[in-house]
Amino acid sequence: MKEVKICLPAFKVTYSICFTVILSLVRGISNVTEIGITLDAYMPVLAIVFCADAYRMEYSQKRWEVFRLYPVGTRRKTILKRLVIQWIYLCVLTFAGYACFYWQRPMNLNEIPQILLYGMSMGSVAVSIIFWGAFAMTVSNIFGNIWAGIGISVILWMAAYSTSGERILGKFNVFSFIFRDIADVGDWSWLWGKGTALVLTAVMLVIMPVIIKKRG
């Protein structure tokens, strides 16, 4: 509960809920398929801002002098715990935010049952959230600056979520779910992109102790 209070202060909860609700109001959709695509595209931006300070928050909350005395292993466990808490919160927010789009009365023009489409969409977004959250946190730790982590992450997000990113990365793009052929029910090639994102996330978490030790 202590880590929950540290990771989820009132201002973070407030702006994340506002972001999700406003997104459902301003992003027009006509088909239920577009709900998952929209969330997979824009929830990573929230994850970037939300998770960038998973380690550096010790500075802003003035606990750094004590925290740095802990062994690297202890600090790593603490950071992982915070990252998991933030990931779970953002996933729950996304799962609930999916329903917010139904005020637009989207049509179901797909052969995929809505419950299956919902599961696919939420699984895809869950991977995107953990990848971009871990990436923003890692870059922030490397540069020792939260804004550097957010800025570089957003630049990479824009590159991946672009026509050039789709062409260059293909099915290995973290946004492969967005760029898939939605008319082809049997197209599961987007799993390659999500698998790649999970592998990269694991690599970032493995090298975390090295970064912590180097940056102090």
Side-chain angles (χ1 to χ4, degrees):
M1 290 304 299
K2 178 182 177 181
E3 293 300 334
V4 170
K5 292 179 180 179
I6 293 174
C7 296
L8 303 177
F11 78 93
K12 275 193 171 185
V13 173
T14 300
Y15 78 65
S16 60
I17 293 176
C18 290
F19 177 90
T20 306
V21 173
I22 292 174
L23 179 63
S24 68
L25 296 176
V26 301
R27 177 61 165 83
I29 63 170
S30 58
N31 189 349
V32 291
T33 304
E34 299 176 58
I35 301 177
I37 291 176
T38 300
L39 292 172
D40 199 27
Y42 295 104
M43 290 305 287
V45 179
L46 178 60
I48 288 172
V49 177
F50 208 87
C51 301
D53 66 344
Y55 183 48
R56 311 303 297 182
M57 66 175 58
E58 298 298 335
Y59 281 102
S60 61
Q61 300 187 16
K62 303 185 185 303
R63 293 190 302 268
W64 180 251
E65 294 300 326
V66 176
F67 191 65
R68 69 180 301 183
L69 297 177
Y70 294 161
V72 172
T74 301
R75 280 184 277 172
R76 178 177 180 272
K77 290 180 181 178
T78 300
I79 296 171
L80 287 175
K81 188 183 297 184
R82 291 176 181 175
L83 190 61
V84 169
I85 291 172
Q86 292 174 318
W87 174 70
I88 292 175
Y89 168 76
L90 291 175
C91 284
V92 171
L93 182 62
T94 302
F95 298 166
Y98 190 96
C100 294
F101 285 86
Y102 275 88
W103 74 269
Q104 301 185 43
R105 300 181 183 278
M107 297 180 291
N108 183 15
L109 303 177
N110 310 282
E111 298 180 14
I112 305 176
Q114 289 201 46
I115 187 64
L116 176 58
L117 182 61
Y118 176 78
M120 291 167 53
S121 300
M122 295 304 95
S124 177
V125 179
V127 174
S128 296
I129 289 174
I130 192 62
F131 169 76
W132 289 105
F135 182 82
M137 179 193 68
T138 301
V139 176
S140 294
N141 293 345
I142 291 175
F143 288 92
N145 186 288
I146 295 174
W147 295 109
I150 293 175
I152 293 174
S153 298
V154 170
I155 291 174
L156 182 62
W157 171 84
M158 293 174 63
Y161 184 50
S162 66
T163 303
S164 297
E166 178 186 9
R167 184 179 66 255
I168 295 173
L169 299 176
K171 64 182 181 180
F172 296 102
N173 193 321
V174 65
F175 292 121
S176 56
F177 181 77
I178 297 174
F179 298 131
R180 78 191 193 285
D181 182 5
I182 60 176
D184 184 359
V185 180
D187 181 14
W188 293 90
S189 60
W190 56 273
L191 290 175
W192 286 99
K194 297 303 175 179
T196 301
L198 288 176
V199 170
L200 293 175
T201 301
V203 171
M204 287 186 282
L205 298 182
V206 168
I207 66 174
M208 186 193 304
V210 178
I211 299 173
I212 295 175
K213 189 174 181 179
K214 186 176 180 60
R215 297 302 302 178

